[in-house]
Amino acid sequence: MKKKWLVIAMTTMVALTACSKDDPSATGTPGSAGNSAKTTEAAKQPKLSLNWSVTSAFLANVTLPSADKDFVKKTIEEKFNVDLKIDYMVIGKEYHDKLNATLAGGSAPDLFIAGAAESQKYINDGITANLSSFVTPATMPNYFKWVSKEEVDAFQLKQGEFSRAMLPFQRNTYASWYIRQDWLDKLGLKAPHTYAELTEVMTQFTKGDPDGNGKQDTYGFSAAGSGQNLPLDFPQWLNNGFVADFMIVDNSYVDNRTDLKVQNVIDQVVEWNKAGIVDPDWFLNKAPAHIDKAAQGKVGMIFTPGDKTIALDSVATSLQNRSKALDPKANWQPIYPLDKPVMWKYNVPENTILISKATADKNPEKVKRSLEIVNWLGSEEGFLLTHYGQEGKHYTKDGKKITLNVAAFESDIAKAGNWLNVYAVFTPDEPNVLGLELIDSRVSEHDRAILKTVEGFPKHNALPPVSLVPPNGINIGDFRKEMSKFHAKAVLDDKSGKNWPQYREELMTKFRGKEIFTEYTKQINAALKDKKLNDFK
């Protein structure tokens, strides 16, 4: 359900060339997907059986309907003359374990989606096909409306070797801190814009009785460390210039969480902890425990890296509505509380589309047909069908304006297992890419204002869109585990950042951090055309 709310909330138009019934590139030429089943080349070819394996973060509790109700499957099978079988799971270890077992058993899917790190192993193991002749702007014009040729080239593991297709991804990010505006108003405070002002607001939220119950039982801020880490939720990261997980600074790769200046982050977090203005359970909290505390009126500010629906009136389970159920005056608003140039970064690609080498060797027509379908899914027709349903029933279309029929969409799709998400994995929830504007009666003016604010927060571009993977034999998860132990030791045991330099040295040597980030620098340099990065230090 969450994914569809991300879809319906987006109403900003960006005028880009879109696929239409009059677009010559979208009509049934070889290698492209047409808008009419009668005009596709595939419809004239022998019928094929295709087996796909797909994954996404939005496939939890998703169930495909019976064949007679799955209008997407029916359309694809008729248009491209195939029998399509799709296995689907939420992305993560369980999905890749199942995929690995399938691959080891010699029955690789014809097309499958994998994480960036996992794709590296599949490619190195010789499981995947060379896609250079299949994935081009000429053969897949709709696909290349979502990604650029330069991005796809930079995404390859080796220059001149086309081993994986970039899964189109959501470009904008919706990170934001959210604050109780009604608490600010009650205490006569202005929204903070500097770290000093933010610290004062957090102090007043803790000691000034913002809920008016006569008790000192609230805290300024909370987060969820899951008993393991110092999350990026803490504004001290950004206050020291660290935006998300990595940046390019002064022509060098910077791993934000292991930089020498993390010492200052630790010191400032310790200061907030000592002042008692942070929920004392923040380290042990497991998400969404900190959000639950905020809903209960115990916390005045939280952070979310991507859920832009958290303060919307139109989402029944939002933090806003849960808080208002206890306090009708509750008013959560997005806030950018620091005087820094950017809050977060734009997304970079994470997942890949891979084709089985066995399929390519034995039946290249299956490869061609599969990628024709992927291309069609990126067209206006494919996008609308897989995100909003059937025209005239689930939505109406007037030019580029799409008006959702809420009742029909809820009944046939949202409440029927959110099953369109299985097919929507191939295009992100950004109708603006095709110049489309979605109109949904459930999104109020209040909600539109919040969405506009969150979407507009300044971010830095994290390109080139290279997928960073550690050297063979090094598990980045193991490295991050050790890093998190040192963060926790410094904050909770040392209660100081003074020992961070020696902790960092151990991470860079004993735990091979320098090898990892040297390799990352090489991968970025391979994707850069002009100026190269300095060696990692």
Side-chain angles (χ1 to χ4, degrees), residues 121-142:
K121 183 178 187 306
Y122 300 146
I123 292 167
N124 290 338
D125 289 348
I127 292 172
T128 61
N130 179 352
L131 300 179
S132 57
S133 63
F134 294 102
V135 183
T136 71
T139 60
M140 299 183 68
N142 294 317

Side-chain angles (χ1 to χ4, degrees), residues 138-150:
T139 60
M140 299 183 68
N142 294 317
Y143 170 78
F144 280 96
K145 290 173 183 175
W146 297 88
V147 297
S148 72
K149 179 68 163 55
E150 292 72 22

Side-chain angles (χ1 to χ4, degrees), residues 361-416:
D361 290 344
K362 295 178 182 178
N363 196 337
E365 180 59 29
K366 281 192 174 186
V367 181
K368 182 172 176 287
R369 201 84 58 94
S370 286
L371 292 174
E372 284 181 340
I373 297 171
V374 171
N375 182 61
W376 173 80
L377 289 168
S379 71
E380 182 175 298
E381 181 190 23
F383 176 83
L384 290 173
L385 189 69
T386 57
H387 287 263
Y388 309 132
Q390 296 171 300
E391 183 175 5
K393 182 177 183 181
H394 303 111
Y395 71 89
T396 57
K397 185 173 183 290
D398 181 11
K400 293 297 183 180
K401 290 189 176 182
I402 310 301
T403 301
L404 202 66
N405 181 337
V406 173
F409 183 88
E410 287 283 332
S411 174
D412 296 348
I413 298 165
K415 294 180 180 178

Side-chain angles (χ1 to χ4, degrees), residues 165-197:
M166 176 190 301
L167 186 69
F169 61 101
Q170 180 177 282
R171 305 304 176 112
N172 206 348
T173 50
Y174 304 96
S176 180
W177 282 277
Y178 285 84
I179 198 166
R180 282 289 293 262
Q181 180 63 46
D182 56 306
W183 284 13
L184 289 173
D185 295 341
K186 180 177 177 57
L187 297 174
L189 301 172
K190 294 182 179 180
H193 296 288
T194 67
Y195 184 70
E197 292 175 357

Side-chain angles (χ1 to χ4, degrees), residues 72-86:
V72 177
K73 177 180 170 70
K74 183 174 185 293
T75 299
I76 290 174
E77 292 187 335
E78 290 180 355
K79 182 180 289 294
F80 296 98
N81 198 20
V82 297
D83 286 321
L84 179 63
K85 179 179 182 296
I86 296 186

